[in-house]
Amino acid sequence: MKRLSQTCFLFLFLIVAIFTNAQTPIFNSYPASNNVVFLDFDGHVVEGTSWNTGSAIACDGSGMNATQIVTIFNRIAEDYRPFTMNVTTDSAVYEAAPVDHRVRVVLTTSSAWYGSAGGVAYINSFTWGDNTPCFVFTALLGYNTKNIAEAASHEIGHTLGLRHQSSYDAVCNKTSEYNAGKGAGEIGWAPIMGVGYYQNMTLWNYGANPFGCNAIQDDLSIITGNGNGISYRADDYGNTLNNAAVISFQNNAVAIGGIIEKPNDIDAFRFDVATTSRLKADINPYSIANGNVGSNIDLEVELIDQAQNVLGVYNPEDALNAVIDTLLPAGTYYLRIQGKGNVYAPNYASLGSYSIAAAITPGNTLPVHKLQLRGITENKQHKLDWEIVADEKVVS
């Protein structure tokens, strides 16, 4: 058995609450991969591992219902979407995976054997080959699906070799073991390996670990290195306008999806407009609810014409999605999509899946987003002004 001095217990803290029961639905995020993360919601007896000091550890189930399990799975799967990793709820998939390329995440109400924590894992245990699991303590996390998913992604990260992302002040004094991020709303950000309970956008990070403000941990390089046998998924669309994927509109509409797998990845698309038309396109990051809840990527979309002139850059400051609503003359056009940072989140790991829902409506009616008229009387004179917001220049 590996000595504790050669590894580290790493954990997240928190909370209390309620109880429910569930039958676990079966999901796989990337069935083609033999790097497997098994989310075990049903209870498990842990024996013969580095956690055991002679006796077995009997863990009850998670206390989560099927709807909650779906939400937790989807959040965790999106965190690991860029990589050749299969997040699964199927024990048979785990059992069939190579023993040194898998980890069981025991999501359980049983925590008394360990203590007060949100979860716990051994660093690097993904490749140990002895079935050492990591744990997430659902009752101590208040049965909160957001917090449980954050804790699970965090503990899985430890098994892949990641330590904490910590916070330091201007003179390198550690202010917190766990970097809590910054900001608010849908663009509020925190590192997965810090504490992600309080922010919407939680990402892998390039930042200081617990050993010092200059001890920088490159999360992505460790996940895809460190002997884990994990890489980025194959690029799904070309990066340049010359090898852009062709969008085929059916009945003037199209719906497709993609993944920004790695930093500097760009997905390029080409489409044709036969006659002057209105283009309405919604480009949305994957989310579990309205308001881009649980999204991992802040999308920037460029609209480009056949001469490779950039007609518009769509990346609202306070939202993770992008909307295009504009008039286009007949011609060939391109969309160029990538992940970006924002006022809170760095560019480093704005990665994940997205969808495009677009429609072309023939005609030359200008889409106007806002039209506001105002009038006042001043010194017996009437003054009128107006505000018009549109993607196109308004001319009289």
Side-chain angles (χ1 to χ4, degrees):
M1 185 175 73
K2 297 172 180 64
R3 292 180 299 159
L4 186 58
S5 61
Q6 294 176 322
T7 58
C8 289
F9 283 132
L10 293 144
F11 50 86
L12 296 169
F13 292 99
L14 231 67
I15 319 181
V16 291
I18 57 175
F19 188 87
T20 54
N21 292 305
Q23 181 175 355
T24 302
I26 299 299
F27 296 108
N28 289 278
S29 67
Y30 192 47
S33 177
N34 63 1
N35 297 305
V36 171
V37 173
F38 171 41
L39 305 180
D40 187 348
F41 291 91
D42 298 329
H44 182 63
V45 177
V46 180
E47 50 190 345
T49 77
S50 297
W51 296 109
N52 301 100
T53 56
S55 59
I57 302 170
C59 295
D60 292 333
S62 65
M64 311 303 293
N65 63 41
T67 300
Q68 292 171 314
I69 288 171
V70 170
T71 299
I72 292 166
F73 169 84
N74 284 334
R75 282 184 176 274
I76 298 167
E78 186 62 16
D79 287 340
Y80 289 92
R81 189 81 65 198
F83 311 114
T84 54
M85 298 177 66
N86 184 20
V87 179
T88 184
T89 58
D90 189 345
S91 61
V93 173
Y94 171 80
E95 294 296 342
V99 70
D100 57 349
H101 285 276
R102 69 187 191 190
V103 66
R104 180 192 299 262
V105 185
V106 181
L107 298 104
T108 178
T109 59
S110 303
S111 59
W113 67 271
Y114 181 75
S116 181
V120 64
Y122 276 104
I123 288 181
N124 292 318
S125 55
F126 184 79
T127 57
W128 282 359
D130 65 356
N131 292 316
T132 294
C134 63
F135 299 86
V136 173
F137 302 122
T138 56
L140 294 182
L141 290 166
Y143 300 95
N144 180 299
T145 56
K146 156 76 168 168
N147 293 351
I148 290 167
E150 295 293 346
S153 288
H154 179 111
E155 300 306 337
I156 296 162
H158 283 318
T159 74
L160 297 171
L162 297 177
R163 298 180 184 273
H164 291 145
Q165 292 280 348
S166 299
S167 296
Y168 295 83
D169 64 18
V171 292
C172 277
N173 295 312
K174 187 193 290 186
T175 57
S176 177
E177 175 78 8
Y178 303 94
N179 185 339
K182 55 186 176 179
E186 70 178 74
I187 64 170
W189 162 86
I192 292 171
M193 298 310 298
V195 56
Y197 299 144
Y198 314 111
Q199 299 291 358
N200 179 57
M201 191 182 188
T202 55
L203 307 177
W204 306 112
N205 194 41
Y206 183 90
N209 71 21
F211 300 126
C213 67
N214 295 315
I216 301 301
Q217 176 171 280
D218 183 342
D219 287 356
L220 296 176
S221 292
I222 292 172
I223 292 171
T224 58
N226 198 43
N228 290 322
I230 295 166
S231 62
Y232 293 105
R233 293 197 195 187
D235 196 5
D236 49 359
Y237 297 109
N239 287 11
T240 69
L241 302 188
N242 289 335
N243 63 357
V246 176
I247 295 177
S248 298
F249 284 80
Q250 302 295 325
N251 297 319
N252 292 329
V254 68
I256 56 175
I259 302 172
I260 300 299
E261 296 94 358
K262 63 176 68 174
N264 302 317
D265 182 26
I266 297 172
D267 286 356
F269 300 91
R270 190 188 81 206
F271 63 97
D272 295 318
V273 175
T275 185
T276 298
S277 299
R278 175 185 179 181
L279 171 68
K280 176 68 164 63
D282 293 292
I283 303 93
N284 295 312
Y286 174 82
S287 65
I288 63 164
N290 292 336
N292 297 319
V293 173
S295 298
N296 282 23
I297 184 169
D298 191 339
L299 292 165
E300 179 182 278
V301 183
E302 295 173 289
L303 177 62
I304 301 169
D305 68 14
Q306 189 168 0
Q308 301 192 12
N309 299 306
V310 177
L311 304 179
V313 179
Y314 303 85
N315 184 8
E317 292 182 357
D318 58 353
L320 302 179
N321 62 301
V323 177
I324 301 173
D325 194 353
T326 192
L327 284 179
L328 296 176
T332 296
Y333 296 90
Y334 301 89
L335 296 177
R336 194 157 54 191
I337 299 173
Q338 57 190 309
K340 290 287 188 178
N342 55 50
V343 66
Y344 304 126
N347 279 327
Y348 171 78
S350 185
L351 308 173
S353 52
Y354 64 88
S355 62
I356 303 172
I360 291 177
T361 305
N364 57 6
T365 302
L366 176 70
V368 176
H369 307 305
K370 180 180 181 181
L371 173 59
Q372 182 174 349
L373 304 177
R374 294 180 292 268
I376 62 172
T377 300
E378 187 177 281
N379 297 326
K380 297 183 179 181
Q381 292 184 329
H382 299 292
K383 293 185 176 181
L384 300 175
D385 65 7
W386 55 88
E387 180 183 7
I388 301 175
V389 178
D391 286 350
E392 306 293 335
K393 182 179 180 181
V394 179
V395 296
S396 58

